[in-house]
């Protein structure tokens, strides 16, 4: 299957700082990328959907000014958690889907990023 | 929004035995995709198997197979010859053709494999 790389895998930051998480599709063009948040032992909660070159569409209740998403190319999307606070501590996962036989109609997932805000 | 239900929060199976995980969904659409993803302790989501709704034949991937009952809106996953590496959270997911490839996930089933 297709490969999605997510970096960093774990980040610790001080309250009030911003953190950027990168999501890259390595062997296909990701026309759409998704960002999820997952709490321990729970399912994935969709935060936003981004299409290459367009503004992200945020789910209800997700603050777009706090969670900035950029999808400037067909292989890279970034999630920036601005002015992070302890309640933003969580596991963030990206996924990507695209065109072609490899990634059409399927979401391939990154390995996730564990964010700990002190 | 579509609803995906996994009624078994936890399941266990003896190594080498067979286990079935259940999933039901609610939709008024006729064409869609269904998936099972595995999330091991590493938390990397791995695609296990997928099924297109227009295909009547049940999908199979090695030891993994599905029982797709479209009329009943049921999509169960059967794992044969269970191995220790199968221990993970399993999520059922529904993809609508009308929501830009957005997936709707169930709440997951935690599978324990007993040696």
């Amino acid at each position: 299957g297709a490969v999605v790389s997510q970096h960093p895998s774990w980040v610790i930051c001080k309250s009030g700082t911003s953190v950027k998480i990168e999501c890259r599709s390595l062997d296909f063009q990701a026309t759409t990328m998704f960002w999820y948040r997952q709490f321990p032992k729970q399912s994935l909660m969709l935060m936003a959907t981004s299409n290459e070159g367009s503004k992200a569409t945020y789910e209800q209740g997700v603050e777009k000014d706090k969670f900035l998403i950029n999808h400037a190319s067909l292989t890279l999307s970034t999630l920036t958690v601005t002015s992070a606070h302890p309640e933003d501590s969580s596991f963030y996962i990206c996924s990507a889907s695209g065109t072609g036989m490899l990634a059409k109609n399927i979401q391939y997932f990154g390995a996730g990023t564990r964010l700990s805000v002190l | 929004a579509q609803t995906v239900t996994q009624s078994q929060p936890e399941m266990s199976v003896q190594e080498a035995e067979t286990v079935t995980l259940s999933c039901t969904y609610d939709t008024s659409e006729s064409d869609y995709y269904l998936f099972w993803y595995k999330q091991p302790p590493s938390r990397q989501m791995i695609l296990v198997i997928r099924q297109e709704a227009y295909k009547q034949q049940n999908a199979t991937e090695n030891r993994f197979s599905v029982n797709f009952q479209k009329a009943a809106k049921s999509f169960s996953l059967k794992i044969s010859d269970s191995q220790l590496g199968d221990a993970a959270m399993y999520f059922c997911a529904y993809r609508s053709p009308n929501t830009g490839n957005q997936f709707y996930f169930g709440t997951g089933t935690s599978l324990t494999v007993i040696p």
Side-chain angles (χ1 to χ4, degrees), chain B residues 45-111:
Chain B
M45 293 282 284
I46 301 166
L47 176 64
V48 175
I49 199 165
R50 68 168 174 168
Q51 174 84 41
E52 291 92 335
Y54 64 86
K55 290 187 177 179
Q56 293 188 344
Q57 187 173 6
N58 289 324
T60 300
E61 288 287 342
N62 300 314
R63 298 183 295 107
F64 299 87
S65 61
V66 299
N67 183 5
F68 174 48
Q69 302 289 327
K70 190 172 184 179
K73 298 178 184 176
S74 171
F75 182 61
S76 61
L77 174 69
K78 186 172 82 171
I79 306 174
S80 304
D81 185 26
S82 297
Q83 300 176 359
L84 295 178
D86 295 333
M89 279 289 285
Y90 286 82
F91 292 99
C92 177
Y94 173 102
R95 175 195 176 271
S96 164
N98 301 316
T99 56
N101 209 23
Q102 181 175 341
F103 280 24
Y104 299 90
F105 287 91
T107 51
T109 296
S110 177
L111 178 66

Side-chain angles (χ1 to χ4, degrees), chain A residues 33-87:
Chain A
M33 285 188 169
F34 304 84
W35 288 94
Y36 295 88
R37 185 172 180 175
Q38 187 180 32
F39 294 100
K41 297 188 178 181
Q42 293 190 22
S43 188
L44 281 69
M45 181 187 76
L46 180 65
M47 299 175 65
T49 302
S50 72
N51 293 299
E52 185 266 338
S54 303
K55 288 185 177 180
T57 301
Y58 290 80
E59 294 300 300
Q60 193 171 7
V62 178
E63 299 176 60
K64 61 178 68 176
D65 294 330
K66 167 166 267 305
F67 299 101
L68 300 179
I69 292 171
N70 183 280
H71 190 172
S73 78
L74 283 172
T75 59
L76 174 65
S77 177
T78 60
L79 167 67
T80 301
V81 183
T82 62
S83 186
H85 288 92
E87 58 265 29

